[in-house]
Amino acid sequence: MNILFAAAEAAPFVKIGGLGDVAGTLPRYLKDRGHDIRIVLPRYGAIDRERFGLSAMPGPLGVPMGSSGTLWCEVLEGRPPGTDIPVYFLERRDLFDRPGVYDDPSGKGYGDNAFRFLFLSRGALETARRLSFPPGVIHVHDWHTAAVPLYLDALYRRDPLLERSATVLTIHNLEHQGIFPRELMDVLGTGRHYFHTGDLEFYNEVNLLKSGIIHGDVVSTVSPTYAREMTTPEFGCRLDGVLRTYAPDLTGILNGVDYGEWNPEKDPWISQPYGSDDLSGKGKNKADLQTALGLPVAEGIPVVGMVTRLVHQKGMDVVASVIHRLLDRGIQLVLLGSGESWAHDFFSAVASDRPDRFACRLGYDPVLAHRIIAGSDLFLMPSRFEPCGLTQMFALRYGTLPVVRAAGGLNDTVENFDGATGAGTGFKFYDLTGDAVVNTLSWALSVFRDSPETVKALRKRAMSRRFSWEDTAGQYERLYHRAAKKRET
Ligand code: ADP
């Protein structure tokens, strides 16, 4: 099948979050399954032409932008290293040559983000035409490229190349919807008649994600539980009704894990590699972690790790509200993260108050992330919502038992401990309250204290779980066929 990916990020060229991982990795596995897959991205200033060997395609590409007229851009072509996947970069320095991808250095979204990503969306379709590449499926991601299905329906269905292309929209995070003033309709260029409740209109503004849900042939998200949650008022971010109406067969497909990078037997960042048949190496990693972070080195004190963005989504406010109760349970808590400034101040202050119980490192540090995941006994993720979540899957592979709120992908990847049978791979709670966090952690600690054999069995089982990209790609393939079939009928 011919597949066109349009996304705002794709590793290794540009990665801000989970979207970059998926758009960077999934195409490789789809290619392995025999598909002709191509990707369209913006050429951000940080994507180095030389380093990635990008070359300019002949002739400029015209991208019609409604009332702003046609914008011309250069198209650069490259390949992700080690692959034969063509990636087309739209080169417009005025739009994309900036220090950030979405935000300026102060963390504020660029004022012309709607324009930038509509340019990408329409530019992706124009790139397909330029290449004479008829996509069987166009796979778009989040609000940035969610206008593609609308563009197709409104403007390209008489184009012999695109008339039959099906669309799949994957929502990686429902919180970001691309909501802009109604004047955006002029730039969109589809005609103002699309501005109504059954289409783009959303509380008198334009909602690009909503248009993708309505016009996309198939809508998916990144875990089965999040797919269900999204249709409820608690998790639906005001689009739950739209999803229930327009995407009744909303599908959740878990992201895969790169086990080349996350493998305790071959991890170059940890002091002692280990496998599930000999967990003694894990103890050495724990001692090294305690030493590195200035905590008392003691095998008997359970270490609870966290590697996370310090934001509301991750439940950091709830952790803050009970942190002293947690520390009083006789644990050492280790936190690596960055995010909201209150959290930086708060957690730093607690770390200086209780240096024997709490170590906090602010910033982004992939090596320390590996060491924490390897050296901790338990891994805490009290997320308010979690579309998929990767870190709990890493923790499982390292035999570090997750203590999680049963939301989204956390619910789908962690099996709750069952005291009667000994089954499970972690510990879950359901309501996001301080009491639930404290009680669930206390439950896990009691298992550690009373039954080391049970813990060993849990660790082994956790380490045997796999979330493979091969499996994920197979599920997307089935989704593409469903979308294509829907388009035919
Ligand atoms: P999200 O994408 O919502 O932040 P995920 O669990 O899906 O959450 O993925 C987070 C990714 O970022 C993981 O690979 C995790 O190890 C990494 N990460 C998050 N914070 C840090 C940090 N401070 N330092 C290093 N890696 C981090």
Side-chain angles (χ1 to χ4, degrees):
M1 188 185 262
N2 287 350
I3 302 165
L4 185 72
F5 255 58
E9 314 171 22
F13 301 106
V14 49
K15 182 188 141 175
I16 306 296
L19 165 60
D21 273 323
V22 177
T25 311
L26 180 57
R28 295 170 188 247
Y29 289 87
L30 290 167
K31 181 91 186 172
D32 288 347
R33 298 176 83 89
H35 300 290
D36 184 348
I37 177 150
R38 310 188 185 195
I39 306 173
V40 180
L41 288 176
R43 212 286 286 187
Y44 299 106
I47 301 176
D48 194 289
R49 278 178 86 141
E50 312 284 295
R51 179 178 157 217
F52 289 110
L54 309 186
S55 58
M57 291 175 58
L61 181 78
V63 181
M65 293 295 289
S67 56
S68 299
T70 294
L71 259 66
W72 295 88
C73 68
E74 207 176 11
V75 181
L76 307 179
E77 188 182 348
R79 303 267 186 288
T83 77
D84 190 24
I85 299 170
V87 183
Y88 304 98
F89 297 89
L90 307 184
E91 167 91 313
R92 272 294 297 207
R93 295 195 162 206
D94 56 338
L95 298 180
F96 299 118
D97 194 359
R98 303 182 186 179
V101 168
Y102 306 117
D103 303 331
D104 66 22
S106 75
K108 205 165 149 282
Y110 291 117
D112 59 351
N113 271 348
F115 192 90
R116 297 168 78 220
F117 292 110
L118 284 183
F119 179 82
L120 169 66
S121 302
R122 188 106 194 233
L125 295 172
E126 292 298 330
T127 303
R129 291 179 75 207
R130 163 62 61 83
L131 297 166
S132 301
F133 178 73
V137 164
I138 305 180
H139 191 170
V140 301
H141 300 265
D142 283 346
W143 74 264
H144 320 104
T145 47
V148 168
L150 167 66
Y151 275 138
L152 271 172
D153 285 353
L155 304 168
Y156 291 87
R157 284 303 180 200
R158 282 158 201 258
D159 184 318
L161 197 91
L162 297 169
E163 62 185 356
R164 293 153 59 93
S165 300
T167 50
V168 172
L169 165 69
T170 296
I171 300 172
H172 299 261
N173 188 335
L174 190 60
E175 221 176 23
H176 308 292
Q177 300 178 3
I179 299 173
F180 300 102
R182 60 191 296 170
E183 286 69 35
L184 193 68
M185 292 308 296
D186 297 333
V187 178
L188 202 59
T190 52
R192 287 227 163 204
H193 51 283
Y194 282 97
F195 190 77
H196 64 87
T197 331
D199 214 300
L200 280 160
E201 192 270 342
F202 188 70
Y203 298 96
N204 213 25
E205 293 193 284
V206 167
N207 184 324
L208 294 175
L209 191 68
K210 183 183 172 202
S211 89
I213 294 168
I214 292 174
H215 289 272
D217 291 311
V218 166
V219 182
S220 77
T221 186
V222 288
S223 71
T225 296
Y226 194 53
R228 284 193 299 278
E229 289 169 345
M230 276 163 104
T231 62
T232 66
E234 184 188 352
F235 294 93
C237 301
R238 301 195 294 175
L239 282 180
D240 45 295
V242 172
L243 285 161
R244 285 196 302 273
T245 307
Y246 294 96
D249 42 14
L250 178 66
T251 303
I253 300 177
L254 283 171
N255 296 334
V257 167
D258 176 357
Y259 290 110
E261 178 184 353
W262 296 95
N263 177 0
E265 291 168 44
K266 296 197 179 130
D267 188 330
W269 307 118
I270 64 177
S271 45
Q272 177 80 48
Y274 61 97
S276 57
D277 31 334
D278 180 10
L279 286 164
S280 60
K282 192 164 170 61
K284 170 98 172 65
N285 288 300
K286 173 171 168 175
D288 286 349
L289 180 68
Q290 289 169 321
T291 308
L293 297 178
L295 292 165
V297 178
E299 204 188 323
I301 300 181
V303 171
V304 181
M306 297 187 80
V307 177
T308 180
R309 290 183 288 121
L310 302 177
V311 296
H312 188 70
Q313 179 197 333
K314 301 292 180 180
M316 294 315 293
D317 50 324
V318 179
V319 175
S321 72
V322 293
I323 191 160
H324 291 288
R325 287 170 65 195
L326 293 176
L327 300 180
D328 291 343
R329 289 287 186 283
I331 60 165
Q332 292 175 347
L333 183 64
V334 168
L335 170 66
L336 166 65
S338 68
E340 292 165 4
S341 59
W342 73 266
H344 288 214
D345 298 344
F346 176 84
F347 290 111
S348 306
V350 177
S352 16
D353 272 0
R354 312 208 40 189
D356 57 328
R357 290 283 163 203
F358 181 50
C360 165
R361 293 290 179 273
L362 300 173
Y364 194 87
D365 185 342
V367 174
L368 184 57
H370 279 248
R371 292 187 177 155
I372 292 175
I373 288 168
S376 300
D377 294 298
L378 294 161
F379 197 80
L380 180 60
M381 290 181 76
S383 300
R384 194 157 265 112
F385 68 96
E386 193 63 77
C388 177
L390 285 171
T391 0
Q392 82 281 7
M393 298 196 250
F394 305 154
L396 288 167
R397 182 72 189 87
Y398 283 69
T400 302
L401 304 179
V403 177
V404 301
R405 179 175 186 219
L410 297 173
N411 187 44
D412 296 324
T413 53
V414 178
E415 298 147 50
N416 206 9
F417 173 60
D418 179 341
T421 63
T425 57
F427 303 86
K428 293 190 193 181
F429 54 95
Y430 292 85
D431 296 325
L432 182 56
T433 62
D435 283 343
V437 174
V438 174
N439 293 340
T440 311
L441 196 78
S442 304
W443 172 38
L445 293 173
S446 70
V447 179
F448 267 73
R449 194 182 51 234
D450 301 339
S451 183
E453 282 310 307
T454 303
V455 172
K456 202 164 159 191
L458 285 171
R459 286 204 207 281
K460 280 182 183 247
R461 194 175 304 119
M463 293 174 82
S464 73
R465 293 292 181 263
R466 292 290 182 280
F467 304 93
S468 78
W469 273 110
E470 283 88 356
D471 192 35
T472 300
Q475 293 186 56
Y476 275 106
E477 191 178 78
R478 286 194 284 284
L479 207 65
Y480 297 158
H481 286 302
R482 202 167 93 203
K485 206 154 173 197
K486 212 166 154 191
R487 181 54 45 196
E488 272 167 23
T489 53

